[in-house]
Amino acid sequence: MQKVVTVNLNGNAYSLEEPGFDALRTYLQRAQARLTDNPDRAEIMADLEQAIAEKCARFLGSHKTVVTSAEIETILAEMGPVENADERADTVRDAPKAESQGAPPRDADAPKRLYQIREGAMLTGVCNGLAAFFNVDVTLVRIIFVILAICTAGAWVLVYIGLAFIVPYADTSEDRAAAYGLPFNAEELISQAKLHHAHFKARHAWRRQWRREQRAWHRHWHRQWRHVSEQAQMAATPPAPSMGYVGNTVLGISLPFIAVVSAALFVVWAFAMISLLTTGAIFGWPLPPGVPLWAGVVILVALHILVTAPLRAARFGGPRHWGTPAYGAWAALYGVLWIAFTAIFFWFAYLHIPQIHALIERLPEIWTHVTTGITV
Amino acid sequence: MDIPQKLAPIRKGLLEFVILRVVAADKVYVADMLKRLSETEFATQEVTLYPLLSKLRREELVDYEWQESDAGPPRKYYKLTAKGRAQLSVLNDYWKDLNRTLADFGK
């Protein structure tokens, strides 16, 4: 059983099932929004309502007085997607939209709102939502949040918790589109879904190929090994693995190496920051005269981001470069490791290094020093 | 990319011309116009056609008149204005020139 809504379509009364009514109302609202600049908006809207009314009449008879939701869907499909409803886009049906080829465009008209985004979130998705809102890398937002949390002696965590409670979640497709500032309509959703599907397929194809090559390599190697043990006098040359496998292996070895290098860089950076905050000089080198302490902090942060950028690019760009969009998985893993590493590092430092112990105890004092430095 | 998709911009550009020709033939109601177009390469939908017709009317190329209908409220029947007729004959000539040019290139 469905609730029925009676509507007035350009002077005709029709009974529609409630979900169908909702779909129709959304459709007409979008059409109206799309025609904002059109001087004949009212007339075109009346024409559209009239056309819908006539299509509704087609589905009604003496024993059928309600238009079902499915019939409304059919009618709206016949009317065409609203995105084409402005006179510039007087397209013929089935004409491909240029932007549907690549990434969806960011439309200036599309609403952009701040949301928490659960997909790829580390905690509640606040940073993820902010990154989407400002169109920057989420790792950068997280780094800024961690730095702020450290600099404010944890007070920033309260801001984070506040945001987590206040900022709504992007739960519907429409919300998510608004979070990224993308135009929301059926066409866009379909093109995005296609894009994701293509990525998904590419990723699985890559995995399959990788496994296949690995198996082949193993088989080959085992055969060679038997060969060697049976005829010990023969010097069997090791098989040359295929190029793809070599590439994967190089990446497999270099990834942990890059991770160690960036961890080491982070330790150096953290010590530099600590020595700057405690002594006002970086490892004994004082700041140039006239450069305030807060500027030194900003310069250090910028330097760290600058130095580690190529490493990040190598780590995340590598797999993506060869058509494996495992970027998300790598980024998530890296983020978790990074936060865990930072937490453990500070915990140990607090316990075992007197200077850092003193620093953390002195953080409120340093904070006032830094803020007065900014305001003065 | 298949041929119909490749030529979609051409069809899009020609839609206005096609509409003018359809309207020139006889006074037409939008639903009938769509039905006629739906069997051709120029199949289109209400949501596209109504704004296009309103634009043509603002440019004074077409006009409509209300006609009583047996089923439901009065309907808008579109027809060509004198200006529209002049425009159409220019377009027709241009189209013939284009066809001639096309025919002249390689046979």
Side-chain angles (χ1 to χ4, degrees):
Chain A
M1 195 176 73
Q2 279 279 4
K3 201 174 151 190
V4 165
V5 182
T6 304
V7 294
N8 173 358
L9 285 172
N10 198 30
N12 314 283
Y14 286 94
S15 300
L16 315 177
E17 283 183 350
E18 200 172 21
F21 165 73
D22 290 336
L24 177 60
R25 187 177 51 183
T26 315
Y27 182 86
L28 288 175
Q29 278 169 353
R30 291 218 190 98
Q32 186 139 16
R34 210 50 216 185
L35 292 166
T36 313
D37 307 328
N38 197 307
D40 295 328
R41 176 163 79 152
E43 192 179 349
I44 294 171
M45 287 307 294
D47 286 338
L48 291 178
E49 283 191 14
Q50 176 67 32
I52 291 169
E54 279 176 26
K55 284 174 191 288
C56 284
R58 199 178 73 200
F59 288 106
L60 297 177
S62 50
H63 294 290
K64 184 172 177 303
T65 54
V66 173
V67 187
T68 66
S69 305
E71 286 160 357
I72 291 284
E73 293 297 332
T74 314
I75 290 168
L76 295 184
E78 284 175 16
M79 296 290 294
V82 164
E83 201 58 17
N84 289 345
D86 61 329
E87 58 191 11
R88 282 167 294 132
D90 39 359
T91 44
V92 174
R93 189 170 56 195
D94 298 331
K97 293 190 74 186
E99 53 263 47
S100 67
Q101 307 294 328
R106 277 161 204 274
D107 190 341
D109 301 339
K112 198 168 188 185
R113 288 189 293 271
L114 184 59
Y115 280 106
Q116 297 183 60
I117 300 168
R118 284 201 179 91
E119 290 80 17
M122 210 156 279
L123 294 171
T124 72
V126 167
C127 290
N128 217 356
L130 280 170
F133 188 78
F134 293 113
N135 193 14
V136 291
D137 190 79
V138 64
T139 311
L140 190 70
V141 178
R142 289 193 181 120
I143 289 172
I144 291 170
F145 265 63
V146 169
I147 289 168
L148 280 171
I150 294 166
C151 292
T152 58
W156 189 255
V157 175
L158 292 179
V159 175
Y160 184 93
I161 293 170
L163 284 173
F165 276 104
I166 296 163
V167 178
Y169 271 106
D171 282 329
T172 67
S173 310
E174 196 160 359
D175 288 350
R176 273 190 287 277
Y180 291 98
L182 301 174
F184 178 79
N185 57 51
E187 252 176 290
E188 214 49 67
L189 281 185
I190 290 165
S191 73
Q192 278 188 45
K194 276 185 188 158
L195 207 68
H196 288 161
H197 182 65
H199 279 179
F200 185 76
K201 273 201 334 211
R203 178 179 174 171
H204 279 255
W206 180 79
R207 273 204 194 146
R208 265 201 306 282
Q209 196 202 341
W210 194 80
R211 290 212 191 98
R212 207 166 38 236
E213 280 177 12
Q214 204 179 20
R215 271 200 303 276
W217 192 83
H218 272 281
R219 264 201 308 278
H220 195 141
W221 200 80
H222 276 293
R223 228 181 5 251
Q224 290 283 349
W225 182 244
R226 261 203 317 278
H227 189 71
V228 170
S229 46
E230 281 165 6
Q231 315 178 14
Q233 75 275 24
M234 289 259 298
T237 45
S242 69
M243 219 23 238
Y245 189 76
V246 169
N248 291 327
T249 315
V250 166
L251 185 88
I253 293 165
S254 66
L255 270 181
F257 177 73
I258 294 172
V260 168
V261 169
S262 42
L265 274 174
F266 177 74
V267 171
V268 171
W269 174 77
F271 272 108
M273 184 64 91
I274 289 157
S275 77
L276 174 69
L277 288 175
T278 46
T279 64
I282 301 166
F283 300 132
W285 300 318
L287 289 171
V291 176
L293 184 60
W294 65 267
V297 171
V298 171
I299 290 167
L300 259 188
V301 170
L303 266 178
H304 182 250
I305 290 172
L306 210 70
V307 169
T308 54
L311 292 173
R312 271 202 306 278
R315 195 169 343 173
F316 300 136
R320 189 160 48 163
H321 174 68
W322 325 327
T324 52
Y327 179 78
W330 278 114
L333 183 70
Y334 172 67
V336 170
L337 285 177
W338 197 85
I339 295 222
F341 178 78
T342 314
I344 290 170
F345 171 78
F346 273 97
W347 187 61
F348 266 94
Y350 183 77
L351 290 183
H352 299 292
I353 304 174
Q355 287 95 327
I356 292 179
H357 190 91
L359 168 79
I360 291 172
E361 301 281 286
R362 274 187 55 214
L363 267 180
E365 188 192 324
I366 292 169
W367 173 242
T368 39
H369 184 63
V370 170
T371 45
T372 47
I374 292 169
T375 48
V376 165
Chain B
M1 206 184 204
D2 58 328
I3 297 298
Q5 242 192 14
K6 213 171 200 165
L7 295 184
I10 292 184
R11 290 201 305 277
K12 179 178 158 182
L14 282 175
L15 189 60
E16 197 175 308
F17 180 35
V18 170
I19 301 289
L20 285 179
R21 284 187 77 128
V22 171
V23 173
D26 195 9
K27 278 192 291 190
V28 278
Y29 179 54
V30 170
D32 300 332
M33 208 186 299
L34 284 167
K35 199 164 165 232
R36 255 195 93 182
L37 292 176
S38 73
E39 290 145 14
T40 70
E41 297 85 344
F42 294 97
T44 185
Q45 289 164 301
E46 276 90 345
V47 92
T48 302
L49 194 52
Y50 278 116
L52 184 57
L53 281 170
S54 101
K55 192 193 98 175
L56 292 176
R57 200 172 73 91
R58 270 206 308 282
E59 294 170 357
E60 295 172 353
L61 302 176
V62 302
D63 200 5
Y64 61 76
E65 59 189 49
W66 292 99
Q67 274 192 12
E68 291 298 328
S69 96
D70 308 331
R75 294 169 161 187
K76 279 179 189 171
Y77 277 81
Y78 284 86
K79 60 172 198 244
L80 224 53
T81 61
K83 195 175 164 193
R85 210 164 289 284
Q87 170 99 301
L88 182 59
S89 85
V90 174
L91 281 170
N92 276 330
D93 289 344
Y94 186 68
W95 184 245
K96 278 190 201 122
D97 289 346
L98 272 183
N99 273 320
R100 206 170 301 125
T101 313
L102 216 57
D104 285 346
F105 284 123
K107 298 217 165 116

